Amino acid sequence: MNILILCTGNSCRSILAEATINALAPEGIRAISAGSKPAGYVHPRSLALLAREGISTEGLHSKSWDKLPITPDVVITVCGSAAGETCPAYLGPVLRAHWGVEDPAHASGTDAEIDAAFEKAYRILRGRIEAFLALPADVLADKAKLKPELDRIGLIGA
């Protein structure tokens, strides 16, 4: 199963999700992230957080959805709503879900407050990823069963 984690800039949330899925998923599940308007860099706080979690950051980079090396089976958007973000709409024939998380790249305040915003986004995404990876194989293999589960998971931590 190929999973595309999609947002606008592909510098924070989608990168966190891509790296976490690839670190935790069993063989046969692969994630890639991309953005409709890629920032061109991975936010240094995202890389630092992943390193603290013991998750490899090797090869992570901001990518455009125009040049995907895989065809996704599932597309998960992670754009937030509080800032009025518009999520990109992937038009291919795939299963879609929305797991909205506010963008920590827009956090302001002290270093500790900004780090807390990144931590919060990561914890929400990780909880959802763990719930997804805990789904039974028969659910993962059946799009009709998987879609409502993806939608339910998208509400965890919201």
Side-chain angles (χ1 to χ4, degrees):
M1 176 184 291
N2 291 320
I3 303 167
L4 171 61
I5 309 296
L6 189 60
C7 69
T8 306
N10 190 224
S11 70
C12 292
R13 296 161 294 183
S14 54
I15 293 284
L16 292 170
E18 172 189 2
T20 304
I21 290 170
N22 288 334
L24 301 179
E27 191 168 326
I29 296 178
R30 176 180 177 210
I32 188 167
S33 66
S36 57
K37 296 176 186 170
Y41 69 95
V42 176
H43 198 290
R45 289 181 194 259
S46 293
L47 295 172
L49 191 155
L50 289 167
R52 284 193 306 273
E53 291 291 318
I55 295 175
S56 174
T57 61
E58 185 176 338
L60 292 176
H61 63 285
S62 182
K63 302 167 283 302
S64 173
W65 65 350
D66 292 336
K67 298 175 182 162
L68 297 175
I70 61 166
T71 300
D73 302 299
V74 175
V75 173
I76 299 171
T77 52
V78 294
C79 305
S81 57
E85 281 186 277
T86 302
C87 275
Y90 187 88
L91 300 177
V94 298
L95 192 59
R96 293 173 191 79
H98 179 67
W99 291 1
V101 177
E102 298 311 318
D103 190 351
H106 297 301
S108 60
T110 66
D111 276 345
E113 290 167 331
I114 296 169
D115 283 343
F118 274 82
E119 184 71 26
K120 179 180 179 184
Y122 173 75
R123 290 289 158 217
I124 291 169
L125 288 167
R126 181 153 181 150
R128 292 172 183 175
I129 291 163
E130 289 174 349
F132 168 74
L133 295 175
L135 292 173
D138 67 306
V139 172
L140 291 172
D142 183 337
K143 287 184 179 187
K145 290 180 183 177
L146 182 55
K147 173 62 175 153
E149 290 298 319
L150 289 172
D151 292 342
R152 178 188 62 78
I153 289 168
L155 300 174
I156 294 173

